[in-house]
Amino acid sequence: MNEANLEQTGAGLIPAEEGWFVLNVRDALWVTGETFGSVCLFDGPNELFTQVGYRLRVLMPGQPNGMYHHEANQEDFLVLAGECLLLVEGEERRLRAWDFVHCPGGTDHIFVGAGTGPCVLFMAGSRENWPEGEGLFYPRSELALRHGAGVESETPDASVAYAGSPEWQPRPPDVDLPWAENG
């Protein structure tokens, strides 16, 4: 396997092709949105990782990481710093650093930043073998709606679930985080 070339996007590095690589979080492509926090795109916007997807999320208190949903395949999450709320199967759980969450395929969930500062989440999910038309589903949830993370009408269409959401901006989070320090 060859080493992948890393390409500068102006907002961070992304792999330009398939292959192995080393990429520091500080140098990677980040996108930030006022509604859904910030996300580090290790494999870039084209999702070169076809088997497992990885994301690093930074949420401020009250920010959800997206809309309440479930996926066909499992997803796993690790809170690296700060606090958040896990909305899962209609329940609310408070999480703190080093809490691990496993969601088998079909588990309704979303995270909402909590506490007094940023929450940093490491996210991983399988991308293989999604049944056609059954990869994502956004159910209506009163709990999620109360947290600004829910859809009014259930839908399998992400473009419907996120209609009216502000665009992502290519830039890192606006908060002091360990990887933002020079070093």
Side-chain angles (χ1 to χ4, degrees):
M1 179 61 64
N2 292 324
E3 181 175 3
N5 289 313
L6 297 177
E7 177 180 288
Q8 181 55 254
T9 67
L13 295 170
I14 60 171
E17 60 204 354
E18 191 170 313
W20 69 268
F21 61 89
V22 175
L23 179 59
N24 190 285
V25 169
R26 165 180 36 251
D27 302 322
L29 173 63
W30 281 87
V31 294
T32 296
E34 63 185 67
T35 304
F36 301 114
S38 298
V39 60
C40 179
L41 304 173
F42 294 107
D43 60 346
N46 298 325
E47 296 186 343
L48 289 177
F49 301 166
T50 58
Q51 296 174 338
V52 181
Y54 301 96
R55 297 286 187 256
L56 190 62
R57 285 281 188 156
V58 176
L59 302 173
M60 294 306 292
Q63 283 184 321
N65 71 294
M67 294 299 204
Y68 191 71
H69 70 284
H70 68 253
E71 298 189 10
N73 294 343
Q74 82 176 48
E75 294 178 274
D76 295 298
F77 309 90
L78 180 63
V79 180
L80 298 176
E83 296 177 53
C84 64
L85 300 176
L86 166 64
L87 311 183
V88 60
E89 292 296 319
E91 295 182 26
E92 182 177 312
R93 301 280 176 96
R94 190 165 198 91
L95 304 177
R96 63 182 198 272
W98 303 113
D99 283 338
F100 175 80
V101 178
H102 171 70
C103 291
T107 303
D108 294 338
H109 67 282
I110 205 67
F111 295 86
V112 180
T116 59
C119 175
V120 181
L121 286 166
F122 182 74
M123 311 170 107
S126 174
R127 292 182 171 162
E128 289 191 308
N129 303 318
W130 279 25
E132 187 65 34
E134 297 178 31
L136 281 169
F137 188 77
Y138 302 87
R140 180 180 165 82
S141 161
E142 291 300 324
L143 175 63
L145 284 164
R146 284 195 302 274
H147 286 282
V151 295
E152 287 292 336
S153 300
E154 62 182 38
T155 181
D157 188 340
S159 65
V160 171
Y162 291 96
S165 296
E167 294 291 318
W168 292 97
Q169 300 301 313
R171 62 183 169 80
D174 296 327
V175 295
D176 290 328
L177 296 164
W179 59 80
E181 299 170 3
N182 290 329

PDB file of all heavy atoms in Angstrom, residues 21 27 43 76 83 102 128 130 138 143 161 166:
ATOM      1  N   PHE A  21      -1.653   7.168   5.734  1.00  0.00           N
ATOM      2  CA  PHE A  21      -1.124   8.505   6.004  1.00  0.00           C
ATOM      3  C   PHE A  21      -1.163   8.780   7.494  1.00  0.00           C
ATOM      4  O   PHE A  21      -1.852   8.108   8.255  1.00  0.00           O
ATOM      5  CB  PHE A  21      -1.881   9.604   5.244  1.00  0.00           C
ATOM      6  CG  PHE A  21      -3.351   9.705   5.578  1.00  0.00           C
ATOM      7  CD1 PHE A  21      -3.792  10.524   6.619  1.00  0.00           C
ATOM      8  CD2 PHE A  21      -4.295   8.997   4.845  1.00  0.00           C
ATOM      9  CE1 PHE A  21      -5.139  10.631   6.920  1.00  0.00           C
ATOM     10  CE2 PHE A  21      -5.646   9.090   5.144  1.00  0.00           C
ATOM     11  CZ  PHE A  21      -6.069   9.914   6.180  1.00  0.00           C
ATOM     12  N   ASP A  27      -3.728  19.928  11.901  1.00  0.00           N
ATOM     13  CA  ASP A  27      -3.499  20.233  10.490  1.00  0.00           C
ATOM     14  C   ASP A  27      -4.621  19.753   9.566  1.00  0.00           C
ATOM     15  O   ASP A  27      -4.618  20.078   8.379  1.00  0.00           O
ATOM     16  CB  ASP A  27      -2.192  19.592  10.027  1.00  0.00           C
ATOM     17  CG  ASP A  27      -1.001  20.061  10.843  1.00  0.00           C
ATOM     18  OD1 ASP A  27      -0.968  21.254  11.204  1.00  0.00           O
ATOM     19  OD2 ASP A  27      -0.128  19.223  11.148  1.00  0.00           O
ATOM     20  N   ASP A  43     -10.895  12.067   6.466  1.00  0.00           N
ATOM     21  CA  ASP A  43     -10.816  11.550   5.098  1.00  0.00           C
ATOM     22  C   ASP A  43     -11.351  12.553   4.086  1.00  0.00           C
ATOM     23  O   ASP A  43     -11.599  12.215   2.939  1.00  0.00           O
ATOM     24  CB  ASP A  43     -11.515  10.202   4.973  1.00  0.00           C
ATOM     25  CG  ASP A  43     -12.991  10.232   5.335  1.00  0.00           C
ATOM     26  OD1 ASP A  43     -13.455  11.220   5.940  1.00  0.00           O
ATOM     27  OD2 ASP A  43     -13.689   9.252   5.018  1.00  0.00           O
ATOM     28  N   ASP A  76     -20.106   4.012  17.114  1.00  0.00           N
ATOM     29  CA  ASP A  76     -19.510   4.042  18.446  1.00  0.00           C
ATOM     30  C   ASP A  76     -18.939   5.422  18.704  1.00  0.00           C
ATOM     31  O   ASP A  76     -18.476   6.096  17.786  1.00  0.00           O
ATOM     32  CB  ASP A  76     -18.417   2.977  18.564  1.00  0.00           C
ATOM     33  CG  ASP A  76     -19.005   1.578  18.451  1.00  0.00           C
ATOM     34  OD1 ASP A  76     -19.820   1.227  19.315  1.00  0.00           O
ATOM     35  OD2 ASP A  76     -18.657   0.863  17.501  1.00  0.00           O
ATOM     36  N   GLU A  83     -18.567  17.660  28.598  1.00  0.00           N
ATOM     37  CA  GLU A  83     -19.814  16.970  28.908  1.00  0.00           C
ATOM     38  C   GLU A  83     -20.796  17.124  27.759  1.00  0.00           C
ATOM     39  O   GLU A  83     -20.748  18.103  27.008  1.00  0.00           O
ATOM     40  CB  GLU A  83     -20.467  17.574  30.151  1.00  0.00           C
ATOM     41  CG  GLU A  83     -19.670  17.429  31.416  1.00  0.00           C
ATOM     42  CD  GLU A  83     -20.373  18.118  32.586  1.00  0.00           C
ATOM     43  OE1 GLU A  83     -21.564  17.828  32.812  1.00  0.00           O
ATOM     44  OE2 GLU A  83     -19.719  18.937  33.241  1.00  0.00           O
ATOM     45  N   HIS A 102     -22.031   2.742  22.639  1.00  0.00           N
ATOM     46  CA  HIS A 102     -22.176   1.833  21.503  1.00  0.00           C
ATOM     47  C   HIS A 102     -23.625   1.845  21.057  1.00  0.00           C
ATOM     48  O   HIS A 102     -24.524   1.641  21.871  1.00  0.00           O
ATOM     49  CB  HIS A 102     -21.772   0.409  21.895  1.00  0.00           C
ATOM     50  CG  HIS A 102     -22.101  -0.593  20.840  1.00  0.00           C
ATOM     51  ND1 HIS A 102     -21.435  -0.654  19.639  1.00  0.00           N
ATOM     52  CD2 HIS A 102     -23.033  -1.576  20.803  1.00  0.00           C
ATOM     53  CE1 HIS A 102     -21.950  -1.635  18.902  1.00  0.00           C
ATOM     54  NE2 HIS A 102     -22.922  -2.210  19.587  1.00  0.00           N
ATOM     55  N   GLU A 128     -20.198   0.114   5.481  1.00  0.00           N
ATOM     56  CA  GLU A 128     -20.371  -0.983   4.523  1.00  0.00           C
ATOM     57  C   GLU A 128     -21.758  -1.604   4.597  1.00  0.00           C
ATOM     58  O   GLU A 128     -22.381  -1.650   5.651  1.00  0.00           O
ATOM     59  CB  GLU A 128     -19.339  -2.084   4.792  1.00  0.00           C
ATOM     60  CG  GLU A 128     -17.941  -1.676   4.415  1.00  0.00           C
ATOM     61  CD  GLU A 128     -16.998  -2.854   4.443  1.00  0.00           C
ATOM     62  OE1 GLU A 128     -16.943  -3.560   5.462  1.00  0.00           O
ATOM     63  OE2 GLU A 128     -16.322  -3.068   3.433  1.00  0.00           O
ATOM     64  N   TRP A 130     -24.845  -0.983   3.586  1.00  0.00           N
ATOM     65  CA  TRP A 130     -26.115  -0.346   3.934  1.00  0.00           C
ATOM     66  C   TRP A 130     -27.172  -0.838   2.958  1.00  0.00           C
ATOM     67  O   TRP A 130     -26.961  -0.784   1.739  1.00  0.00           O
ATOM     68  CB  TRP A 130     -26.013   1.162   3.799  1.00  0.00           C
ATOM     69  CG  TRP A 130     -25.382   1.851   4.957  1.00  0.00           C
ATOM     70  CD1 TRP A 130     -24.506   1.332   5.855  1.00  0.00           C
ATOM     71  CD2 TRP A 130     -25.573   3.203   5.323  1.00  0.00           C
ATOM     72  NE1 TRP A 130     -24.148   2.284   6.762  1.00  0.00           N
ATOM     73  CE2 TRP A 130     -24.780   3.450   6.465  1.00  0.00           C
ATOM     74  CE3 TRP A 130     -26.329   4.242   4.817  1.00  0.00           C
ATOM     75  CZ2 TRP A 130     -24.736   4.680   7.089  1.00  0.00           C
ATOM     76  CZ3 TRP A 130     -26.276   5.468   5.445  1.00  0.00           C
ATOM     77  CH2 TRP A 130     -25.491   5.677   6.577  1.00  0.00           C
ATOM     78  N   TYR A 138     -34.596   9.516  10.130  1.00  0.00           N
ATOM     79  CA  TYR A 138     -34.781  10.574  11.116  1.00  0.00           C
ATOM     80  C   TYR A 138     -36.203  10.487  11.680  1.00  0.00           C
ATOM     81  O   TYR A 138     -37.144  10.957  11.048  1.00  0.00           O
ATOM     82  CB  TYR A 138     -34.558  11.945  10.464  1.00  0.00           C
ATOM     83  CG  TYR A 138     -33.194  12.090   9.853  1.00  0.00           C
ATOM     84  CD1 TYR A 138     -32.934  11.676   8.549  1.00  0.00           C
ATOM     85  CD2 TYR A 138     -32.147  12.629  10.590  1.00  0.00           C
ATOM     86  CE1 TYR A 138     -31.669  11.800   7.995  1.00  0.00           C
ATOM     87  CE2 TYR A 138     -30.882  12.759  10.046  1.00  0.00           C
ATOM     88  CZ  TYR A 138     -30.653  12.339   8.749  1.00  0.00           C
ATOM     89  OH  TYR A 138     -29.394  12.459   8.204  1.00  0.00           O
ATOM     90  N   LEU A 143     -38.359  14.711  22.600  1.00  0.00           N
ATOM     91  CA  LEU A 143     -37.139  14.980  23.357  1.00  0.00           C
ATOM     92  C   LEU A 143     -36.115  15.691  22.480  1.00  0.00           C
ATOM     93  O   LEU A 143     -35.542  16.713  22.866  1.00  0.00           O
ATOM     94  CB  LEU A 143     -36.557  13.671  23.905  1.00  0.00           C
ATOM     95  CG  LEU A 143     -35.208  13.777  24.624  1.00  0.00           C
ATOM     96  CD1 LEU A 143     -35.325  14.641  25.879  1.00  0.00           C
ATOM     97  CD2 LEU A 143     -34.689  12.381  24.963  1.00  0.00           C
ATOM     98  N   ALA A 161     -34.176  16.506   6.368  1.00  0.00           N
ATOM     99  CA  ALA A 161     -33.899  16.660   7.800  1.00  0.00           C
ATOM    100  C   ALA A 161     -33.087  17.919   8.086  1.00  0.00           C
ATOM    101  O   ALA A 161     -33.295  18.572   9.111  1.00  0.00           O
ATOM    102  CB  ALA A 161     -33.160  15.428   8.333  1.00  0.00           C
ATOM    103  N   PRO A 166     -27.831  26.159   8.578  1.00  0.00           N
ATOM    104  CA  PRO A 166     -26.746  26.982   8.028  1.00  0.00           C
ATOM    105  C   PRO A 166     -25.652  26.118   7.407  1.00  0.00           C
ATOM    106  O   PRO A 166     -25.433  24.979   7.817  1.00  0.00           O
ATOM    107  CB  PRO A 166     -26.199  27.725   9.256  1.00  0.00           C
ATOM    108  CG  PRO A 166     -27.250  27.607  10.300  1.00  0.00           C
ATOM    109  CD  PRO A 166     -28.000  26.345  10.009  1.00  0.00           C
TER     110      PRO A 166
END
